[in-house]
Amino acid sequence: MSEHLRELEQEQAYTVRVQQLLLALIERAQVISNDHLQSIQAIVADAWEDLRVKPTALSEEDLEQLSTEVDRFVVRRQFADSMAQRSRRMLMNPFFARVDFIEKGEEKVEKIVIGLYSLKDEKGELLVHDWRAPVCSLYYDATPGEARYDSPSGEIWGQLTLKRQYRMEDGRLKYYVDTQLNIDDAMLLDILSGATSRHMRQIVATIQSEQNAAIRREDAKVLSVVGGAGSGKTSVAMHRAAYLMYRRRDVLDASKITILSPSTAFSEYVSGVLPELGEENIRARTLREVVEEVLGKKVEKPYHQLEALLDAESELRRQSVRYKGGAEFLKQLKRFADDFSAYGPSFQDVKLDNQVLIRRDELARMYKNELSLLTPAQKLTRMAGTLQTRLSGWEERLYKQYEKSFSGKYSQRELRQMSNMAVAQRLQPVRAQLRGMLELKGGALLSKALRTAPKALADAYRDNKAAGITWWEDAVAEAYLMVRLGFAAPDKMIYHLLVDEAQDYPDVALAMLGTYYPNAAVTLLGDPKQRTTPGMEPCDPARWGASLGAADAPLMPLSKCYRSTLPIAQLCNRILPDGEQLQPFGREGEEPLMAQYSEALLKKTLADFRAAGHKSIAVITRSQSQADSLSTKLDNVYRLDGGEADLNYEAGDNVVACYHLTKGMEFDAVIVVWPDVALTDGERRRLYTAASRALHAAALLGGGKLIKELSVES
């Protein structure tokens, strides 16, 4: 028998040993869970019997003690169920890698087998190490030879003598590979060639060194991770969340982490990753949900903004996005907020007829000096209370005057009514003036901040406000001012914020998030090549940290792209503007279809992709109106529209959507349907975003001029 076969048998025997231990743990956990369930049932049954015989048998203290006892058994049962579930997850794939390491100054080789979670034997010895443990970074970062890793006690040096990867199939160890690299290319290709599903998968077995560095970076308040489509940015975000929860178990759990995703469908897409990693799912939100919560009103959907911007007639809207999307507008808002914090709104003398009731300098002094420790919103609320007391005094004096003048004209009841009406009418202008100064909301604040804006934009904002319309770029600015000035409460319970597709966030949006989540460290993930909103200036990730108050935030690049086959990646590079290229990981595949669009060809291509066995297929369009139209012509497709219903499509459904709603997602096959449009840099980025969703197969069905121009460039 060869040495390799003998080693394979030993590894297979080790696999069986681990699986037997897992089965024993599952059985033991089930017994414990059932015992606790029986205890709960017995406690409840006894209490019910006592109450049935005598309704007053149990005092309030007795019931509270019973509740505490039941809760204790419930927690124990949940822990047992959790351990059983974790063991079941490991059963078919108990580990995926191994490194052998000799620490400097030691003679014994430490065998470190790496899996999804740690597992100890009956003697307490680790048979499998959790992939997040410090020593496991050797697998992701080091090669055989001299190596080091960071541990809680400091830097550990030594020799890495073996680096091995395992491939499991149906619960059995199929083969292993000893490699000088972090991930053997053949094994990675094997894994990447598999079909996807409607949910993102965990990638612990294939994390690359540069991805691992971003996942394990702990010393940065703000961290920017930048890479092209398919470089693993979103996977890094989810695995970073799992890693941080593992490392900071005492202070960080799922309830204290939030991911901001580009769409509802994307939130559903990533929902399975953390449970696969043994962690409770974190809350996924969209920026629009946060903004609407802050403002307390509905605002324009971001993809509706995009639809308007793509309209050739919408120059004013593009001017609005251009003006409000960059660093200068954020500086303008900050200056306004600073001035408002120091001096308050533009106070005016409060008059009743021609008599000054409250001088403006008194209001300014009250705001600036007497209430200096409060937020601007709190100052105005306190002032409103103080002035209401004064109003009550004026009301009383006016009432006596009117009562005296109306006396003899009305009965006692009518006299009171007429006097009150007269007072209310007389003081109505005073109340309106005070409300205008003291009761401010997001729209009123932004109106004041836009006084220095171009007249056309200030007028458009005023007209929209009167019509009850809030453009998306204005909603973000309103929300920033509301939180910054204390008119909306920040969320202080979130300690880590993951922002996916950060390239789509204007500076004001990032600043708003930093203000709304004041206690949160932030991980930003994005691809500057996918900034596709018309009017916005080119994306500069180096500026992201500054918007969040961390100008020196580290920026970690992800250089390679693993999603698409080489032919699809080459198509993406043909589409991209000059100088913006992907570095694909070489994976062979079929050449993408490029042809002039027809409805018949679209239906045939969709049928061909289905016949080829592709499970997840997306028809991706330039606009949502185009997606709406196509969805009525195709069978068994689900139209994504950015709403809550996007959570409901089934795994077997193929989707039709505007490219903007598929950002961050991937599909086995993609059919891009694109009209004839000029291939500007912005248009190329939009088209690249659509085409780069494909893993294994792609088709570009476009207008004749578009196809000809792209084909010539090949």
Side-chain angles (χ1 to χ4, degrees), residues 599-644:
E599 185 179 325
L601 181 56
L602 170 60
K603 291 180 177 179
K604 180 181 182 303
T605 305
L606 181 58
D608 289 346
F609 282 167
R610 287 170 174 167
H614 297 303
K615 300 300 183 185
S616 64
I617 305 173
V619 178
I620 302 180
T621 61
R622 182 175 187 261
S623 67
Q624 190 61 28
S625 57
Q626 193 183 0
D628 293 344
S629 175
L630 287 183
S631 67
T632 64
K633 302 173 182 177
L634 301 173
D635 295 328
N636 193 27
V637 295
Y638 190 96
R639 178 182 59 86
L640 301 180
D641 66 1
E644 290 298 321

Side-chain angles (χ1 to χ4, degrees), residues 454-637:
K455 184 176 185 303
L457 297 183
D459 289 347
Y461 182 75
R462 184 194 62 240
D463 294 343
N464 285 345
K465 188 165 171 283
I469 298 169
T470 307
W471 283 348
W472 174 238
E473 63 269 25
D474 293 326
V476 174
E478 285 184 19
Y480 169 73
L481 292 176
M482 286 282 283
V483 180
R484 170 76 188 273
L485 296 173
F487 292 92
D491 187 341
K492 297 182 178 181
M493 300 306 296
I494 297 300
Y495 285 85
H496 202 98
L497 179 67
L498 304 165
V499 182
D500 211 346
E501 304 298 335
Q503 77 279 345
D504 288 335
Y505 287 63
D507 295 60
V508 175
L510 294 176
M512 190 276 291
L513 291 174
T515 307
Y516 185 67
Y517 296 107
N519 295 331
V522 183
T523 301
L524 300 154
L525 309 111
D527 176 8
K529 295 185 285 297
Q530 291 187 64
R531 171 170 275 193
T532 57
T533 304
M536 288 186 74
E537 60 188 43
C539 178
D540 180 8
R543 264 195 6 226
W544 291 349
S547 299
L548 288 157
D552 58 347
L555 192 154
M556 305 190 73
L558 302 179
S559 58
K560 282 194 175 181
C561 298
Y562 302 93
R563 173 184 296 147
S564 303
T565 63
L566 188 58
I568 295 172
Q570 289 169 340
L571 171 63
C572 290
N573 281 338
R574 193 185 312 165
I575 292 170
L576 278 167
D578 292 340
E580 298 185 26
Q581 300 287 284
L582 298 177
Q583 296 181 34
F585 178 79
R587 178 162 64 90
E588 293 306 316
E590 295 182 5
E591 285 293 328
L593 169 66
M594 293 181 62
Q596 185 167 344
Y597 170 80
S598 71
E599 185 179 325
L601 181 56
L602 170 60
K603 291 180 177 179
K604 180 181 182 303
T605 305
L606 181 58
D608 289 346
F609 282 167
R610 287 170 174 167
H614 297 303
K615 300 300 183 185
S616 64
I617 305 173
V619 178
I620 302 180
T621 61
R622 182 175 187 261
S623 67
Q624 190 61 28
S625 57
Q626 193 183 0
D628 293 344
S629 175
L630 287 183
S631 67
T632 64
K633 302 173 182 177
L634 301 173
D635 295 328
N636 193 27
V637 295

Side-chain angles (χ1 to χ4, degrees), residues 32-33 72 150 162-163 168 170 345 368-369 427 452 538 542 574 632 665 668 686 689:
I32 293 172
S33 177
R72 187 165 61 248
D150 293 320
L162 177 72
K163 189 166 191 176
M168 301 283 176
D170 297 327
K368 187 176 181 181
N369 299 327
L427 289 180
T452 57
R574 193 185 312 165
T632 64
M665 301 171 69
D668 288 334
R686 286 185 278 279
T689 302

